[in-house]
């Protein structure tokens, strides 16, 4: 590998002659408070190298050939989330102010080792060399997200864990879980058990759905937290609620439960927004989800409601966002809700570059944005005309389409300080397996991850496609399914 072949592109890369070679006797020396990052690194390196790689205290004596994970004394440009990586023939040192920065540095180190490091089984006769030099690196945006739609197709806990592992490699730090939709309700709510017992039993097509017990959800949250990834749970409402409406007749305008739904139309369902019981339902659901979620956000959906008058919809949005705030969380919603959103909330903008007066006005009131324009970021759009999976209502989205835009200047009427970052949603109407999901996410997800992490000055399609070209072998070693796009000169 070369020091330059890192995705997302680091802010500063200074190659030097020579290399560091990881030996059987190497140790991982770590500062107090960062032992978790050290054991994560050891777990990555041990299976393929076969080395013992004991984790010891930083103070535990200098020895050539060690890897050092050090809190403090990093280049000041690294800030609270960045890191500095120094590689010489004798030592490999990652420094950061916080463990989250060390973790980002560890992902860079993974990418600087030979691809075989990802194979998970002993690769004999390898020289585990890392090119010498220095990297100083820090994120452009604080919110670097992906979204997984576990409602249209249910993804079991193990598959979500593996998806989270993939996100970590590209420094994505938020996973938005679309937990409920017309086709299924995926998170157990103790006060409303039929949501999952009945409403969780379907998905798109004839599959039998599934759901997370609260302990399963907590396991996902913990796995993500070990990788410095925040889970953003979405309970979509007032639309996209057929699974809830089928489970509880009293949530319906006419008091009658519809059949469960397994098609892919959108916009036909809505909670009864005029009955008090609906707000009790919303409050109790968010109370339980808030209790299980250490992250700061609760997402209320709010998209594609075709059966409510604007006033009724707006009143619902404002009231629900106040409920979320009362549970101590920052409300998030799709941007249709921006008009009625509270000033401290965040909107996921899924429009295109054309001006949206409601969104601009909301930003003026203090609403901030996560950008997910569908013609750039939707991982469920086809790559090209030959893609079997996916949809094409937002057009085909090639790797260059995903990469070649600037989140900082995308919306001309919105100040870039209102943009918290980007998110890549993977809707799952056409997805039947984790391999399908990986195929749609790779290589577009790394492209979007680079937009979120790397400085605008590093943005360069030609550089990106050359760097990404070295990652195909890495994905082969990981057993990750991807689209071998003809836009990338795979090596
Ligand atoms: C639009 S984007 C939706 C989803 C669909 C998706 C399919 C958004 C907020 N809503 O309900 O799954 O398109 O591409």
């Amino acid at each position: 590998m070369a020091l330059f072949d890192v995705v997302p592109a680091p802010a500063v890369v200074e190659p030097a002659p020579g290399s560091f070679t990881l030996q059987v006797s190497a140790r991982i020396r770590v500062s107090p408070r960062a032992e978790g990052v050290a054991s994560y690194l050891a777990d990555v390196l041990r299976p393929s190298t076969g080395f013992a790689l004991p984790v010891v205290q930083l103070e535990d004596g200098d020895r050539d050939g060690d890897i050092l994970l050090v809190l403090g004394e990093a280049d000041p440009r690294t800030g609270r989330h960045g890191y500095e990586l120094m590689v010489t023939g004798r030592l490999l040192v990652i420094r950061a102010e916080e463990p989250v920065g060390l973790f980002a540095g560890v992902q860079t180190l993974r990418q600087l080792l030979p691809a075989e490091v990802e194979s998970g089984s002993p690769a004999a006769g390898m020289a585990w060399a890392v090119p010498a030099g220095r990297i100083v690196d820090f994120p452009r945006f604080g919110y670097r997200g992906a979204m997984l739609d576990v409602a249209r197709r249910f993804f079991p806990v193990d598959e979500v864990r593996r998806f989270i592992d993939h996100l970590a490699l590209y420094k994505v730090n938020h996973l938005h879980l679309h937990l409920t939709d017309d086709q299924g309700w995926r998170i157990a709510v103790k006060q409303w058990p039929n949501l999952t017992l009945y409403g969780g039993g379907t998905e798109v097509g004839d599959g039998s759905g599934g759901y997370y017990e609260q302990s399963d959800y907590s396991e996902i949250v913990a796995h993500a937290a070990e990788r410095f990834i925040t889970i953003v749970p979405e309970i979509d409402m007032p639309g996209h609620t057929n699974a809830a409406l089928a489970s509880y007749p009293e949530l319906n305008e006419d008091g009658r439960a519809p059949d469960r739904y397994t098609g892919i139309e959108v916009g036909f369902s809505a909670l009864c927004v005029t009955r008090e019981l609906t707000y009790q339902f919303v409050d109790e659901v968010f109370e339980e989800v808030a209790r299980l979620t250490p992250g700061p956000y609760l997402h209320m959906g709010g998209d594609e409601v075709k059966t409510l008058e604007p006033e009724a919809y707006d009143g619902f949005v404002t009231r629900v966002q106040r409920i979320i705030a009362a549970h101590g969380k920052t409300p998030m919603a799709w941007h249709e809700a921006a008009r009625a959103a509270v000033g401290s909330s965040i909107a996921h903008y899924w429009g295109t570059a054309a001006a949206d007066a409601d969104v601009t006005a909301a930003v003026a009131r203090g609403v901030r944005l996560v950008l997910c324009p569908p013609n750039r970021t939707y991982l469920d759009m086809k790559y090209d005309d030959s893609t079997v999976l996916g949809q094409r209502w937002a057009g085909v989205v090639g790797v260059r389409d995903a990469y070649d835009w600037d989140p900082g200047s995308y919306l001309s009427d919105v100040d870039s300080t209102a943009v918290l970052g980007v998110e890549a949603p993977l809707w799952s109407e056409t997805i039947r397996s984790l391999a399908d999901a990986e195929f749609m996410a790779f290589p577009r997800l790394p492209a979007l991850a680079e937009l979120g992490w790397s400085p605008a000055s590093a943005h360069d399609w030609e550089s990106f496609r050359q760097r990404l070209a070295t990652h195909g072998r890495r994905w082969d070693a990981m057993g990750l399914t991807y689209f071998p796009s003809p836009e990338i000169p795979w090596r």
Side-chain angles (χ1 to χ4, degrees), residues 152 240 266 303-304 334 350 378 380-381 391 393 427 429:
R152 270 58 170 271
H240 289 275
V266 295
D303 55 319
E304 299 178 314
W334 297 103
W350 65 289
Y378 271 33
D380 66 320
M381 292 300 126
Q391 307 210 46
W393 63 261
W427 302 100
E429 288 95 333

Side-chain angles (χ1 to χ4, degrees), residues 57-142:
Q57 288 300 312
L58 186 63
E59 310 305 322
D60 210 352
D62 256 335
R63 205 154 89 187
D64 283 3
D66 284 346
I67 294 177
L68 274 59
L69 303 179
V70 183
L71 286 179
E73 290 168 51
D75 183 296
R77 287 173 290 180
T78 59
R80 286 179 60 78
H81 296 97
Y83 65 92
E84 179 178 3
L85 172 71
M86 286 272 285
V87 185
T88 68
R90 285 199 319 112
L91 286 179
L92 193 154
V93 187
I94 304 175
R95 292 180 184 278
E97 282 313 309
E98 297 291 337
V100 64
L102 290 179
F103 186 78
V106 160
Q107 301 310 322
T108 297
L109 169 58
R110 269 174 88 179
Q111 296 189 9
L112 293 174
L113 282 156
E116 289 79 355
V117 75
E118 302 295 344
S119 70
S121 51
M126 286 290 306
W128 300 106
V130 178
R134 188 168 87 114
I135 287 176
V136 179
D137 200 13
F138 45 88
R140 178 180 182 194
F141 292 104

